[in-house]
Amino acid sequence: MLSPSLAQEIAGDTSAVIGFNVLITDAEGTVIGSGDSSRVGTFHEASVEVVRTKEPATHNASQAQRLRGVRPGITLPLVTDGQAVGTVGITGTPAQVGRFGLLVKRQTEILIRESVMLRSRLLAERAAEKLLTDIASYDPLVVEGDFLMFRAAELGFDLRLRRVAVAFEVSVPDPGVRRGTPARDMTLVRSELLRTVRDVFADPQDIVAGAAPGWIGVLHRLPARTPADSLVADCRRVTDVIAAQDGLAARAGIGEPAASVGGLHDSYQDACDALRLGARVDGGRTVHAIGDLRVHQLLAAVSQSARTRLLDLTAAPLRDQPDWPALRDTITAWCESGFSLVRASAALHIHRNTVVYRMNKIEQLTGRPLREHRTAMALYLACLADRLGGGPDH
C-alpha cells in the first residue's frame, strides 16, 4: 500500500522542509524512505511496537541505544482505513521534533491516501480500456460473450443494459488552421480529454476509455424515453469543449443501440465507420451518426475497382465537366431531398432555377432523365462513390 518510491519522495521533501531527518518504514519495520539515504533498507525496531499498538513512541538517547536501528526522536503510526501500514519517524531530541510529529504524520497519511486513490483510478481506467478493446475486437469464435459480461460486471457495468457506442477522434489541426498555436501531444492531454468526455457522459453505467492516442470510446447507457437527438447534442457538447482548447479539434461517430456483447461490437464498429465516412462526405460537421451513412458504409465495403467502374460507366460525361463538384452536389441534394426542387434548392442554398439548369445539363450529358428514379439512384450512388474516393484520380 505504501510504495518505496513514494515513501522516499515524502521523506526527502519533508526532511528538507523541517530541517530534521524524516524516516518512513513499512508495516514490518523496514525503512523504505529517509532523508538520510544510508538508512533505507535497514530495520527500525521501534516501529514494530508502534504498528502493533497504533500509538506514537518517543525515545531519548539512552532508550534509542537499546533498540536496533533507532535514533533519538519520535515515531508515529501511519494509519489508513483503520489499519497501520507503517510508521513515520523524526530524528532529534523529543523536545525538538515533537511539535512536528502530528503535522508530518497527517501530511504523510494524506499523501498515501491520494496515492492509493490515484493508483485505484489508474487500474480502473486500464480495466475499462481493456474491456472496450475486447468488445471492439470481439469474435465469438475466440472468446465467449458471457466472459466479457462477467468481466464488465466485476467493474460494475451491466452489458445487458441498452447502450450505444460513440467514438471520439481528437487531433491537432493542420498548422495553417491556427497559426501561432503550439502543437499538443495527444498522450500528454489524455487525462484531460477523458475528464471532458466523462463530464458529459457521467452516468455510472457509461463506459468511457481511451482506445488509442487521440481516440476515446464510449459505451453510453441509453435511459428509457431519451429523445433521439439528445445523444447528438451531448456529442456536440464534447466536441465544442475540446475545440475550445487551443490546438485541438474533435469529431464524433455514433453507432446503433445494442444490448449484447455482439451488438456492442457492431455498434462500436459502426461508430468508427461513421467517423471515417462522415469526414469524407461532410467534413464540415463534427458529429456523424451511422444511421445517416448506411448507404455510404455499404459502398465503402465494395472494392475500389467496383466503385471506379460504377463512376466510369454512370457519370463519366459529368466528371469531365469543370463544374463536376456542383453537378455532383446537385444530384446528391435532389435524391436526398426526396426529388423535390424546393428542398433541393434549400439544401444547396441556391435558387430553384439554378437547380433546374443543372438538372437539364445533367440530363443532356448523360442522355437520361433525372426524374426517372432508377437513373437518379444510379447517379446518386456514383456521386457517393466519388465522394468516398472511388475514382481513378483518388
Side-chain angles (χ1 to χ4, degrees):
M1 183 175 290
L2 181 56
S3 69
S5 59
L6 176 63
Q8 182 58 42
E9 183 179 357
I10 295 172
D13 291 347
T14 309
S15 297
V17 170
I18 68 174
F20 294 94
N21 183 57
V22 173
L23 174 146
I24 296 175
T25 76
D26 61 18
E28 283 72 43
T30 301
V31 178
I32 56 175
S34 175
D36 177 2
S37 58
S38 66
R39 300 187 69 182
V40 175
T42 63
F43 178 66
H44 190 262
E45 187 176 355
S47 293
V48 176
E49 184 67 11
V50 171
V51 168
R52 187 185 69 81
T53 63
K54 299 180 187 176
E55 294 291 336
T58 59
H59 304 89
N60 56 32
S62 61
Q63 291 171 327
Q65 284 181 348
R66 293 194 292 268
L67 296 171
R68 180 181 167 191
V70 178
R71 296 178 184 176
I74 184 171
T75 305
L76 304 101
L78 295 173
V79 180
T80 62
D81 297 328
Q83 179 183 358
V85 297
T87 68
V88 57
I90 308 175
T91 302
T93 64
Q96 288 178 312
V97 300
R99 67 184 187 275
F100 296 113
L102 188 58
L103 177 62
V104 172
K105 165 184 163 66
R106 288 181 175 172
Q107 184 63 31
T108 303
E109 287 174 345
I110 289 171
L111 292 172
I112 291 172
R113 284 196 295 272
E114 289 179 348
S115 174
V116 170
M117 289 175 60
L118 177 60
R119 190 181 304 120
S120 176
R121 187 165 62 247
L122 290 174
L123 289 174
E125 284 187 1
R126 288 171 185 165
E129 286 177 15
K130 184 66 167 60
L131 178 63
L132 180 67
T133 300
D134 288 346
I135 290 174
S137 60
Y138 171 67
D139 183 345
L141 299 178
V142 176
V143 63
E144 290 283 346
D146 288 345
F147 174 70
L148 293 182
M149 296 273 282
F150 174 76
R151 274 184 43 208
E154 285 188 318
L155 299 174
F157 302 120
D158 185 353
L159 296 187
R160 296 169 300 179
L161 298 175
R162 190 166 176 263
R163 300 170 182 273
V164 63
V166 181
F168 289 97
E169 181 186 32
V170 184
S171 60
V172 179
D174 183 83
V177 176
R178 294 186 180 183
R179 296 187 182 278
T181 301
R184 303 183 70 183
D185 188 333
M186 289 296 100
T187 304
L188 297 179
V189 298
R190 178 178 178 277
S191 295
E192 182 181 339
L193 295 172
L194 284 171
R195 185 166 56 250
T196 298
V197 176
R198 289 189 179 118
D199 284 344
V200 175
F201 294 94
D203 189 299
Q205 282 292 324
D206 285 345
I207 303 173
V208 181
W215 280 76
I216 296 174
V218 180
L219 299 181
H220 170 57
R221 179 190 178 184
L222 286 174
R225 296 182 295 277
T226 302
D229 57 352
S230 65
L231 179 57
V232 174
D234 287 341
C235 291
R236 192 168 290 119
R237 282 172 57 199
V238 172
T239 58
D240 288 347
V241 170
I242 293 175
Q245 302 176 33
D246 289 343
L248 296 179
R251 295 168 46 249
I254 302 174
E256 296 281 10
S260 67
V261 173
L264 287 172
H265 165 79
D266 293 340
S267 182
Y268 187 76
Q269 297 304 317
D270 281 347
C272 294
D273 282 350
L275 262 178
R276 177 173 55 88
L277 298 171
R280 300 187 195 180
V281 175
D282 189 356
R285 292 170 57 192
T286 59
V287 180
H288 309 277
I290 194 61
D292 300 327
L293 298 164
R294 284 299 183 191
V295 176
H296 307 74
Q297 187 183 39
L298 183 63
L299 271 176
V302 176
S303 68
Q304 181 170 325
S305 61
R307 296 200 301 271
T308 300
R309 183 171 171 78
L310 172 66
L311 269 170
D312 289 342
L313 297 178
T314 307
L318 303 178
R319 296 182 74 241
D320 292 336
Q321 300 301 308
D323 59 347
W324 160 238
L327 299 179
R328 180 187 61 195
D329 292 345
T330 301
I331 294 170
T332 302
W334 167 250
C335 294
E336 293 181 351
S337 64
F339 311 108
S340 165
L341 278 175
V342 174
R343 289 196 292 269
S345 61
L348 294 168
H349 306 291
I350 59 178
H351 195 275
R352 67 191 303 271
N353 289 343
T354 304
V355 177
V356 172
Y357 166 78
R358 291 181 183 176
M359 290 178 63
N360 288 336
K361 180 176 181 179
I362 292 166
E363 290 178 341
Q364 291 173 1
L365 289 169
T366 61
R368 298 178 178 179
L370 261 181
R371 288 170 178 77
E372 200 280 310
H373 289 181
R374 289 187 178 181
T375 297
M377 292 308 299
L379 285 171
Y380 174 65
L381 293 176
C383 290
L384 295 186
D386 186 72
R387 293 287 292 274
L388 292 175
D393 296 329
H394 292 78

